[in-house]
Amino acid sequence: MSAPGRPLPAITDENEFFWTAGADDTLRLQECQECAALIHPPQPICRYCRGTQLGVRDVSGRATLIGFTVNHRFSLPGLPAPYVVAQVAIHEDPRARLTTNVVDCDPDQLQLGQQLQVVFDHIEDVWLPVFRPVPDSAATAPLPEDEIAPEDFAAHVRPMATSDKFEDKVALTGIGMSALGRRLMVPPLSLTVQACQAAVADAGLSLDDIDGLATYPGAGLPGPFGEGGVTALESALGIRPTWHNGGMETFGPGGSVIAAMLAVAGGLARHVLCFRTLWEATHAELMKQGKIVPTGGRTTSWQMPFGAISAAHTLAMNAQRHFHRYGTSRETLGWIALNQRANAALNPTAIYRDPMSMDDYLSARPITTPFGLYDCDVPCDGAVAVIVSAVDAARDLAKPPVLVEAVGTQIVERIDWDQSTLTHEPQVLGQAAHLWSRTSLRPADVDVAELYDGFTFNCLSWIEALGFCGIGEAKSFLDGGANIARDGVLPLNTHGGQLSHGRTHGMGLIHEAVTQLRGEAGERQVAGARVAVASSGGLTPSGVLLLRTDT
């Protein structure tokens, strides 16, 4: 029997063939009987030919190692660290990939392209397919190619449906931030209220002027990622919105702002209050104290049974493949972390402001290879609010409006974390290409870049995707850190980013972009900033905004 808490899959009629196949030592995958493609995870239709005649196929159990990370930070009951989380491409159809573990090996001897063979770990009523190196096999195979090469995403962007841009009808008119810190030990809704009241005052509005509410992720995601959504805030403030929106399947954590733009442009509201709250540090402390007990039960995730419980595991494997293909190194990522810390030193609201050297970065404790401690953003407590207003109303408010030049939202690649783009963060390349299709401005016109940095590699992916350097050229672009410094060609994450300022899930980046375009950033102000780009998220559907001043 498994130790309590080990994540095991929920077995259903649709997936039982996969999770119980090991009973006779045979790996089985779903197959399209019309085009012979292997489909994973199982679906009711083939994504390749759209056929609906689906069956189950016995496969050899041979696979190619296409990514792995040695997890050091996270331990689970029944799965103590360190352990290897891996992605493998199935021999019969490399488009079918599994997240799994590699066992019976020295992790230091693993290499991409290595040949593996399935074995099964029998726990309760589940046979987990894990893999081990094929004995006496020194051969490696080429890694599979992405369905769309990173350089070709722009060719798959849909043309604008109309020349009448909704972005021209809106402006950002107010920003606010609550207290930000580690283990503030206050209710998350109180942080939300602080940020929202600050944003309303900043715009010169009253709460009675607010006729729209928007948030991410809404009330549907439990735990430390919100205060209860629109329902909780409306109950606290007594706002009666004509339009409201809250949910995860939007344009990244800052997607509430883009959704609000659409509502305002469509005439459903004049002033939409958008908000984002996290209380991860307090939540973690309350769990330690036993005041919050994690929920148990089986998981529907295809990654968690193998200990891939964090976005860090997925992104670490994407980073590893970027290293492999383009010669990127840990030092490349280190320049991003050092830049954010240098900027945070000038920001009194940043959580981590102490100086950091490259030696500090490289010697930090490992989290999941190649990521160390300073590759990861800072869990914190805090809320950020942004007000989206109709552009005709915006120019009469307290602060100069920040206009929206363009947004990028198109999904081009697969959304499944482990089935998507190999060498960059998924849900970045398509959204970035979509942004530039909606404006005549170009990357060289950007004065300030506030790019999502949940991990250093997120930020690197956005830099290449948005065209600030070529695909695969981040190593040379970032070398030495001069290009991304406040006085460089691309001032990056000027408030300290999520790596040093604190994890505010993209809304803090929008807050800083507005601050810079208003000229209100104090010591960290970039002189003459007129155009800013702010990205939100990745992995899940994301979005990116191009903002500009009104002059």
Side-chain angles (χ1 to χ4, degrees), residues 264-294:
V264 170
L268 282 168
R270 296 280 284 171
H271 302 289
V272 179
L273 178 59
C274 310
F275 55 96
R276 178 81 186 97
T277 302
L278 294 102
W279 55 295
E280 291 180 276
T282 288
H283 186 273
E285 178 62 27
L286 292 174
M287 288 188 66
K288 288 181 183 178
Q289 297 176 11
K291 294 179 179 179
I292 294 178
V293 179

PDB file of all heavy atoms in Angstrom, residues 264-294:
ATOM      1  N   VAL A 264     -15.516  46.827 -21.533  1.00  0.00           N
ATOM      2  CA  VAL A 264     -15.625  48.279 -21.671  1.00  0.00           C
ATOM      3  C   VAL A 264     -15.799  48.664 -23.133  1.00  0.00           C
ATOM      4  O   VAL A 264     -16.652  49.495 -23.485  1.00  0.00           O
ATOM      5  CB  VAL A 264     -14.388  48.959 -21.057  1.00  0.00           C
ATOM      6  CG1 VAL A 264     -14.359  50.449 -21.405  1.00  0.00           C
ATOM      7  CG2 VAL A 264     -14.376  48.774 -19.541  1.00  0.00           C
ATOM      8  N   ALA A 265     -15.006  48.057 -24.012  1.00  0.00           N
ATOM      9  CA  ALA A 265     -15.121  48.368 -25.439  1.00  0.00           C
ATOM     10  C   ALA A 265     -16.482  47.979 -25.984  1.00  0.00           C
ATOM     11  O   ALA A 265     -16.998  48.611 -26.916  1.00  0.00           O
ATOM     12  CB  ALA A 265     -14.020  47.658 -26.216  1.00  0.00           C
ATOM     13  N   GLY A 266     -17.096  46.945 -25.413  1.00  0.00           N
ATOM     14  CA  GLY A 266     -18.414  46.505 -25.849  1.00  0.00           C
ATOM     15  C   GLY A 266     -19.562  47.263 -25.219  1.00  0.00           C
ATOM     16  O   GLY A 266     -20.730  46.968 -25.501  1.00  0.00           O
ATOM     17  N   GLY A 267     -19.248  48.213 -24.343  1.00  0.00           N
ATOM     18  CA  GLY A 267     -20.285  49.040 -23.750  1.00  0.00           C
ATOM     19  C   GLY A 267     -20.987  48.452 -22.552  1.00  0.00           C
ATOM     20  O   GLY A 267     -22.010  48.979 -22.108  1.00  0.00           O
ATOM     21  N   LEU A 268     -20.453  47.375 -21.981  1.00  0.00           N
ATOM     22  CA  LEU A 268     -21.085  46.766 -20.813  1.00  0.00           C
ATOM     23  C   LEU A 268     -20.712  47.458 -19.511  1.00  0.00           C
ATOM     24  O   LEU A 268     -21.385  47.264 -18.498  1.00  0.00           O
ATOM     25  CB  LEU A 268     -20.706  45.288 -20.738  1.00  0.00           C
ATOM     26  CG  LEU A 268     -21.459  44.353 -21.691  1.00  0.00           C
ATOM     27  CD1 LEU A 268     -20.781  42.994 -21.731  1.00  0.00           C
ATOM     28  CD2 LEU A 268     -22.909  44.213 -21.256  1.00  0.00           C
ATOM     29  N   ALA A 269     -19.631  48.220 -19.521  1.00  0.00           N
ATOM     30  CA  ALA A 269     -19.191  48.902 -18.310  1.00  0.00           C
ATOM     31  C   ALA A 269     -18.335  50.096 -18.697  1.00  0.00           C
ATOM     32  O   ALA A 269     -17.815  50.175 -19.823  1.00  0.00           O
ATOM     33  CB  ALA A 269     -18.405  47.952 -17.406  1.00  0.00           C
ATOM     34  N   ARG A 270     -18.195  51.034 -17.746  1.00  0.00           N
ATOM     35  CA  ARG A 270     -17.348  52.213 -17.959  1.00  0.00           C
ATOM     36  C   ARG A 270     -16.051  52.126 -17.172  1.00  0.00           C
ATOM     37  O   ARG A 270     -15.013  52.582 -17.635  1.00  0.00           O
ATOM     38  CB  ARG A 270     -18.106  53.471 -17.540  1.00  0.00           C
ATOM     39  CG  ARG A 270     -19.339  53.768 -18.349  1.00  0.00           C
ATOM     40  CD  ARG A 270     -18.999  54.435 -19.659  1.00  0.00           C
ATOM     41  NE  ARG A 270     -18.648  55.851 -19.477  1.00  0.00           N
ATOM     42  CZ  ARG A 270     -18.140  56.605 -20.458  1.00  0.00           C
ATOM     43  NH1 ARG A 270     -17.909  56.080 -21.642  1.00  0.00           N
ATOM     44  NH2 ARG A 270     -17.859  57.868 -20.245  1.00  0.00           N
ATOM     45  N   HIS A 271     -16.102  51.561 -15.993  1.00  0.00           N
ATOM     46  CA  HIS A 271     -14.922  51.469 -15.132  1.00  0.00           C
ATOM     47  C   HIS A 271     -14.918  50.082 -14.480  1.00  0.00           C
ATOM     48  O   HIS A 271     -15.736  49.808 -13.600  1.00  0.00           O
ATOM     49  CB  HIS A 271     -14.947  52.539 -14.040  1.00  0.00           C
ATOM     50  CG  HIS A 271     -15.026  53.946 -14.559  1.00  0.00           C
ATOM     51  ND1 HIS A 271     -13.976  54.569 -15.189  1.00  0.00           N
ATOM     52  CD2 HIS A 271     -16.050  54.844 -14.534  1.00  0.00           C
ATOM     53  CE1 HIS A 271     -14.335  55.807 -15.528  1.00  0.00           C
ATOM     54  NE2 HIS A 271     -15.595  55.996 -15.147  1.00  0.00           N
ATOM     55  N   VAL A 272     -13.999  49.244 -14.904  1.00  0.00           N
ATOM     56  CA  VAL A 272     -13.924  47.883 -14.372  1.00  0.00           C
ATOM     57  C   VAL A 272     -12.742  47.778 -13.423  1.00  0.00           C
ATOM     58  O   VAL A 272     -11.606  48.112 -13.777  1.00  0.00           O
ATOM     59  CB  VAL A 272     -13.801  46.842 -15.497  1.00  0.00           C
ATOM     60  CG1 VAL A 272     -13.700  45.434 -14.901  1.00  0.00           C
ATOM     61  CG2 VAL A 272     -14.975  46.927 -16.448  1.00  0.00           C
ATOM     62  N   LEU A 273     -13.017  47.301 -12.234  1.00  0.00           N
ATOM     63  CA  LEU A 273     -11.999  47.083 -11.218  1.00  0.00           C
ATOM     64  C   LEU A 273     -11.501  45.642 -11.325  1.00  0.00           C
ATOM     65  O   LEU A 273     -12.260  44.692 -11.122  1.00  0.00           O
ATOM     66  CB  LEU A 273     -12.600  47.351  -9.835  1.00  0.00           C
ATOM     67  CG  LEU A 273     -11.723  47.128  -8.605  1.00  0.00           C
ATOM     68  CD1 LEU A 273     -10.476  47.986  -8.644  1.00  0.00           C
ATOM     69  CD2 LEU A 273     -12.534  47.382  -7.338  1.00  0.00           C
ATOM     70  N   CYS A 274     -10.215  45.489 -11.665  1.00  0.00           N
ATOM     71  CA  CYS A 274      -9.601  44.167 -11.821  1.00  0.00           C
ATOM     72  C   CYS A 274      -8.674  43.930 -10.625  1.00  0.00           C
ATOM     73  O   CYS A 274      -7.942  44.842 -10.222  1.00  0.00           O
ATOM     74  CB  CYS A 274      -8.792  44.096 -13.113  1.00  0.00           C
ATOM     75  SG  CYS A 274      -9.667  44.667 -14.582  1.00  0.00           S
ATOM     76  N   PHE A 275      -8.658  42.707 -10.101  1.00  0.00           N
ATOM     77  CA  PHE A 275      -7.861  42.466  -8.898  1.00  0.00           C
ATOM     78  C   PHE A 275      -7.294  41.058  -8.895  1.00  0.00           C
ATOM     79  O   PHE A 275      -7.819  40.142  -9.523  1.00  0.00           O
ATOM     80  CB  PHE A 275      -8.680  42.721  -7.630  1.00  0.00           C
ATOM     81  CG  PHE A 275      -9.978  41.945  -7.544  1.00  0.00           C
ATOM     82  CD1 PHE A 275     -10.059  40.752  -6.850  1.00  0.00           C
ATOM     83  CD2 PHE A 275     -11.130  42.420  -8.174  1.00  0.00           C
ATOM     84  CE1 PHE A 275     -11.254  40.041  -6.773  1.00  0.00           C
ATOM     85  CE2 PHE A 275     -12.327  41.719  -8.100  1.00  0.00           C
ATOM     86  CZ  PHE A 275     -12.389  40.534  -7.398  1.00  0.00           C
ATOM     87  N   ARG A 276      -6.182  40.936  -8.181  1.00  0.00           N
ATOM     88  CA  ARG A 276      -5.484  39.658  -8.048  1.00  0.00           C
ATOM     89  C   ARG A 276      -4.868  39.585  -6.670  1.00  0.00           C
ATOM     90  O   ARG A 276      -4.156  40.504  -6.252  1.00  0.00           O
ATOM     91  CB  ARG A 276      -4.384  39.550  -9.114  1.00  0.00           C
ATOM     92  CG  ARG A 276      -3.558  38.262  -9.024  1.00  0.00           C
ATOM     93  CD  ARG A 276      -4.288  37.117  -9.676  1.00  0.00           C
ATOM     94  NE  ARG A 276      -3.604  35.848  -9.500  1.00  0.00           N
ATOM     95  CZ  ARG A 276      -3.896  34.966  -8.552  1.00  0.00           C
ATOM     96  NH1 ARG A 276      -4.831  35.235  -7.674  1.00  0.00           N
ATOM     97  NH2 ARG A 276      -3.265  33.820  -8.465  1.00  0.00           N
ATOM     98  N   THR A 277      -5.129  38.505  -5.945  1.00  0.00           N
ATOM     99  CA  THR A 277      -4.660  38.358  -4.570  1.00  0.00           C
ATOM    100  C   THR A 277      -3.986  37.010  -4.384  1.00  0.00           C
ATOM    101  O   THR A 277      -4.483  35.989  -4.881  1.00  0.00           O
ATOM    102  CB  THR A 277      -5.837  38.483  -3.582  1.00  0.00           C
ATOM    103  OG1 THR A 277      -6.473  39.742  -3.765  1.00  0.00           O
ATOM    104  CG2 THR A 277      -5.365  38.340  -2.148  1.00  0.00           C
ATOM    105  N   LEU A 278      -2.868  37.016  -3.672  1.00  0.00           N
ATOM    106  CA  LEU A 278      -2.223  35.779  -3.252  1.00  0.00           C
ATOM    107  C   LEU A 278      -1.896  35.878  -1.772  1.00  0.00           C
ATOM    108  O   LEU A 278      -1.579  36.959  -1.273  1.00  0.00           O
ATOM    109  CB  LEU A 278      -0.946  35.516  -4.053  1.00  0.00           C
ATOM    110  CG  LEU A 278      -1.175  35.245  -5.543  1.00  0.00           C
ATOM    111  CD1 LEU A 278      -0.837  36.475  -6.358  1.00  0.00           C
ATOM    112  CD2 LEU A 278      -0.360  34.048  -6.013  1.00  0.00           C
ATOM    113  N   TRP A 279      -1.952  34.746  -1.108  1.00  0.00           N
ATOM    114  CA  TRP A 279      -1.559  34.708   0.309  1.00  0.00           C
ATOM    115  C   TRP A 279      -0.811  33.408   0.585  1.00  0.00           C
ATOM    116  O   TRP A 279      -0.997  32.731   1.579  1.00  0.00           O
ATOM    117  CB  TRP A 279      -2.764  34.896   1.232  1.00  0.00           C
ATOM    118  CG  TRP A 279      -3.903  33.926   1.026  1.00  0.00           C
ATOM    119  CD1 TRP A 279      -4.693  33.814  -0.076  1.00  0.00           C
ATOM    120  CD2 TRP A 279      -4.381  32.941   1.955  1.00  0.00           C
ATOM    121  NE1 TRP A 279      -5.627  32.823   0.095  1.00  0.00           N
ATOM    122  CE2 TRP A 279      -5.472  32.277   1.342  1.00  0.00           C
ATOM    123  CE3 TRP A 279      -4.016  32.584   3.245  1.00  0.00           C
ATOM    124  CZ2 TRP A 279      -6.169  31.246   1.964  1.00  0.00           C
ATOM    125  CZ3 TRP A 279      -4.718  31.567   3.871  1.00  0.00           C
ATOM    126  CH2 TRP A 279      -5.781  30.911   3.232  1.00  0.00           C
ATOM    127  N   GLU A 280       0.124  33.106  -0.297  1.00  0.00           N
ATOM    128  CA  GLU A 280       0.833  31.827  -0.242  1.00  0.00           C
ATOM    129  C   GLU A 280       1.688  31.681   1.012  1.00  0.00           C
ATOM    130  O   GLU A 280       1.802  30.589   1.576  1.00  0.00           O
ATOM    131  CB  GLU A 280       1.700  31.667  -1.492  1.00  0.00           C
ATOM    132  CG  GLU A 280       0.893  31.474  -2.758  1.00  0.00           C
ATOM    133  CD  GLU A 280       1.784  31.332  -3.969  1.00  0.00           C
ATOM    134  OE1 GLU A 280       2.196  32.358  -4.525  1.00  0.00           O
ATOM    135  OE2 GLU A 280       2.069  30.187  -4.348  1.00  0.00           O
ATOM    136  N   ALA A 281       2.335  32.775   1.437  1.00  0.00           N
ATOM    137  CA  ALA A 281       3.221  32.664   2.597  1.00  0.00           C
ATOM    138  C   ALA A 281       2.425  32.383   3.867  1.00  0.00           C
ATOM    139  O   ALA A 281       2.797  31.519   4.675  1.00  0.00           O
ATOM    140  CB  ALA A 281       4.042  33.944   2.728  1.00  0.00           C
ATOM    141  N   THR A 282       1.339  33.100   4.051  1.00  0.00           N
ATOM    142  CA  THR A 282       0.491  32.851   5.221  1.00  0.00           C
ATOM    143  C   THR A 282      -0.138  31.467   5.154  1.00  0.00           C
ATOM    144  O   THR A 282      -0.218  30.740   6.160  1.00  0.00           O
ATOM    145  CB  THR A 282      -0.595  33.936   5.323  1.00  0.00           C
ATOM    146  OG1 THR A 282       0.022  35.163   5.728  1.00  0.00           O
ATOM    147  CG2 THR A 282      -1.669  33.564   6.325  1.00  0.00           C
ATOM    148  N   HIS A 283      -0.600  31.072   3.970  1.00  0.00           N
ATOM    149  CA  HIS A 283      -1.205  29.747   3.800  1.00  0.00           C
ATOM    150  C   HIS A 283      -0.224  28.650   4.203  1.00  0.00           C
ATOM    151  O   HIS A 283      -0.584  27.697   4.906  1.00  0.00           O
ATOM    152  CB  HIS A 283      -1.653  29.577   2.351  1.00  0.00           C
ATOM    153  CG  HIS A 283      -2.408  28.318   2.088  1.00  0.00           C
ATOM    154  ND1 HIS A 283      -1.789  27.121   1.769  1.00  0.00           N
ATOM    155  CD2 HIS A 283      -3.739  28.048   2.066  1.00  0.00           C
ATOM    156  CE1 HIS A 283      -2.699  26.189   1.583  1.00  0.00           C
ATOM    157  NE2 HIS A 283      -3.890  26.716   1.757  1.00  0.00           N
ATOM    158  N   ALA A 284       1.030  28.782   3.754  1.00  0.00           N
ATOM    159  CA  ALA A 284       2.037  27.772   4.094  1.00  0.00           C
ATOM    160  C   ALA A 284       2.276  27.719   5.597  1.00  0.00           C
ATOM    161  O   ALA A 284       2.431  26.637   6.187  1.00  0.00           O
ATOM    162  CB  ALA A 284       3.342  28.078   3.357  1.00  0.00           C
ATOM    163  N   GLU A 285       2.297  28.883   6.236  1.00  0.00           N
ATOM    164  CA  GLU A 285       2.502  28.916   7.683  1.00  0.00           C
ATOM    165  C   GLU A 285       1.326  28.271   8.416  1.00  0.00           C
ATOM    166  O   GLU A 285       1.517  27.512   9.387  1.00  0.00           O
ATOM    167  CB  GLU A 285       2.689  30.357   8.145  1.00  0.00           C
ATOM    168  CG  GLU A 285       2.862  30.521   9.647  1.00  0.00           C
ATOM    169  CD  GLU A 285       4.086  29.822  10.191  1.00  0.00           C
ATOM    170  OE1 GLU A 285       5.071  29.628   9.442  1.00  0.00           O
ATOM    171  OE2 GLU A 285       4.062  29.449  11.393  1.00  0.00           O
ATOM    172  N   LEU A 286       0.113  28.544   7.973  1.00  0.00           N
ATOM    173  CA  LEU A 286      -1.060  27.945   8.621  1.00  0.00           C
ATOM    174  C   LEU A 286      -1.089  26.429   8.425  1.00  0.00           C
ATOM    175  O   LEU A 286      -1.552  25.692   9.301  1.00  0.00           O
ATOM    176  CB  LEU A 286      -2.335  28.583   8.071  1.00  0.00           C
ATOM    177  CG  LEU A 286      -2.542  30.064   8.439  1.00  0.00           C
ATOM    178  CD1 LEU A 286      -3.762  30.631   7.717  1.00  0.00           C
ATOM    179  CD2 LEU A 286      -2.694  30.235   9.958  1.00  0.00           C
ATOM    180  N   MET A 287      -0.587  25.958   7.294  1.00  0.00           N
ATOM    181  CA  MET A 287      -0.481  24.511   7.115  1.00  0.00           C
ATOM    182  C   MET A 287       0.524  23.914   8.092  1.00  0.00           C
ATOM    183  O   MET A 287       0.287  22.843   8.674  1.00  0.00           O
ATOM    184  CB  MET A 287      -0.104  24.186   5.669  1.00  0.00           C
ATOM    185  CG  MET A 287      -1.215  24.416   4.668  1.00  0.00           C
ATOM    186  SD  MET A 287      -0.815  23.817   3.005  1.00  0.00           S
ATOM    187  CE  MET A 287      -0.729  22.056   3.267  1.00  0.00           C
ATOM    188  N   LYS A 288       1.644  24.604   8.280  1.00  0.00           N
ATOM    189  CA  LYS A 288       2.632  24.116   9.242  1.00  0.00           C
ATOM    190  C   LYS A 288       2.037  24.032  10.640  1.00  0.00           C
ATOM    191  O   LYS A 288       2.360  23.133  11.419  1.00  0.00           O
ATOM    192  CB  LYS A 288       3.851  25.046   9.251  1.00  0.00           C
ATOM    193  CG  LYS A 288       4.738  24.951   8.029  1.00  0.00           C
ATOM    194  CD  LYS A 288       5.914  25.904   8.153  1.00  0.00           C
ATOM    195  CE  LYS A 288       6.794  25.884   6.916  1.00  0.00           C
ATOM    196  NZ  LYS A 288       7.915  26.851   7.014  1.00  0.00           N
ATOM    197  N   GLN A 289       1.181  24.993  10.959  1.00  0.00           N
ATOM    198  CA  GLN A 289       0.559  25.020  12.279  1.00  0.00           C
ATOM    199  C   GLN A 289      -0.609  24.041  12.404  1.00  0.00           C
ATOM    200  O   GLN A 289      -1.185  23.905  13.482  1.00  0.00           O
ATOM    201  CB  GLN A 289       0.064  26.437  12.588  1.00  0.00           C
ATOM    202  CG  GLN A 289       1.161  27.491  12.679  1.00  0.00           C
ATOM    203  CD  GLN A 289       0.599  28.886  12.900  1.00  0.00           C
ATOM    204  OE1 GLN A 289      -0.588  29.059  13.196  1.00  0.00           O
ATOM    205  NE2 GLN A 289       1.458  29.884  12.761  1.00  0.00           N
ATOM    206  N   GLY A 290      -0.965  23.378  11.316  1.00  0.00           N
ATOM    207  CA  GLY A 290      -2.077  22.448  11.331  1.00  0.00           C
ATOM    208  C   GLY A 290      -3.436  23.095  11.286  1.00  0.00           C
ATOM    209  O   GLY A 290      -4.463  22.421  11.476  1.00  0.00           O
ATOM    210  N   LYS A 291      -3.484  24.402  11.017  1.00  0.00           N
ATOM    211  CA  LYS A 291      -4.767  25.105  10.972  1.00  0.00           C
ATOM    212  C   LYS A 291      -5.439  24.982   9.605  1.00  0.00           C
ATOM    213  O   LYS A 291      -6.623  25.277   9.465  1.00  0.00           O
ATOM    214  CB  LYS A 291      -4.560  26.584  11.327  1.00  0.00           C
ATOM    215  CG  LYS A 291      -4.105  26.774  12.768  1.00  0.00           C
ATOM    216  CD  LYS A 291      -3.891  28.251  13.098  1.00  0.00           C
ATOM    217  CE  LYS A 291      -3.453  28.416  14.549  1.00  0.00           C
ATOM    218  NZ  LYS A 291      -3.204  29.835  14.899  1.00  0.00           N
ATOM    219  N   ILE A 292      -4.669  24.600   8.597  1.00  0.00           N
ATOM    220  CA  ILE A 292      -5.216  24.255   7.292  1.00  0.00           C
ATOM    221  C   ILE A 292      -4.746  22.852   6.969  1.00  0.00           C
ATOM    222  O   ILE A 292      -3.544  22.563   7.048  1.00  0.00           O
ATOM    223  CB  ILE A 292      -4.760  25.245   6.200  1.00  0.00           C
ATOM    224  CG1 ILE A 292      -5.341  26.643   6.456  1.00  0.00           C
ATOM    225  CG2 ILE A 292      -5.173  24.758   4.818  1.00  0.00           C
ATOM    226  CD1 ILE A 292      -4.890  27.687   5.454  1.00  0.00           C
ATOM    227  N   VAL A 293      -5.661  21.992   6.611  1.00  0.00           N
ATOM    228  CA  VAL A 293      -5.330  20.603   6.295  1.00  0.00           C
ATOM    229  C   VAL A 293      -5.544  20.393   4.804  1.00  0.00           C
ATOM    230  O   VAL A 293      -6.623  20.687   4.279  1.00  0.00           O
ATOM    231  CB  VAL A 293      -6.206  19.625   7.098  1.00  0.00           C
ATOM    232  CG1 VAL A 293      -5.868  18.190   6.730  1.00  0.00           C
ATOM    233  CG2 VAL A 293      -6.015  19.862   8.593  1.00  0.00           C
ATOM    234  N   PRO A 294      -4.517  19.931   4.080  1.00  0.00           N
ATOM    235  CA  PRO A 294      -4.704  19.728   2.645  1.00  0.00           C
ATOM    236  C   PRO A 294      -5.745  18.668   2.357  1.00  0.00           C
ATOM    237  O   PRO A 294      -5.902  17.703   3.116  1.00  0.00           O
ATOM    238  CB  PRO A 294      -3.307  19.292   2.166  1.00  0.00           C
ATOM    239  CG  PRO A 294      -2.623  18.763   3.385  1.00  0.00           C
ATOM    240  CD  PRO A 294      -3.176  19.551   4.540  1.00  0.00           C
TER     241      PRO A 294
END
